[in-house]
Amino acid sequence: VRTLRSQPKRGLDTMVGTVGEVHTMLDPKGTVMLLGERWEAESESGPLAPGEKVVVTAVDGLRVKVIRASEMVSGRRLQTSK
């Protein structure tokens, strides 16, 4: 019943957290498939090969920024030392 009363989510910001798959090599830019659509993307995890699972971390215009899905734990990005 609550879902019938809630407002639908709108806008590109709702893409953050979406899981997708690399479509063309990201090094650092390429394309990913998200919700059945091809998006221009930029990797924040270094080079990513086609088929790798990614998570959207930000939307910049019509380009999404992504990281490897394996870098996420309980909805949060793993902290790595650089």
Side-chain angles (χ1 to χ4, degrees):
V1 175
R2 284 185 205 171
T3 57
L4 295 176
R5 294 181 190 151
S6 65
Q7 293 292 318
K9 291 184 178 181
R10 296 184 189 147
L12 294 176
D13 291 340
T14 62
M15 296 291 288
V16 174
T18 300
V19 177
E21 187 173 295
V22 176
H23 187 258
T24 63
M25 183 75 174
L26 295 181
D27 190 20
K29 295 179 182 177
T31 59
V32 296
M33 293 298 291
L34 300 168
L35 305 173
E37 298 177 340
R38 191 178 325 178
W39 284 79
E40 293 292 320
E42 184 174 346
S43 171
E44 297 180 316
S45 297
L48 298 171
E52 287 194 65
K53 297 292 183 193
V54 293
V55 177
V56 177
T57 59
V59 179
D60 183 17
L62 294 177
R63 174 173 282 140
V64 293
K65 293 187 178 188
V66 299
I67 61 170
R68 275 187 188 87
S70 62
E71 292 181 24
M72 297 290 289
V73 173
S74 300
R76 293 192 162 170
R77 187 174 184 174
L78 290 174
Q79 296 298 316
T80 57
S81 56
K82 292 187 177 184

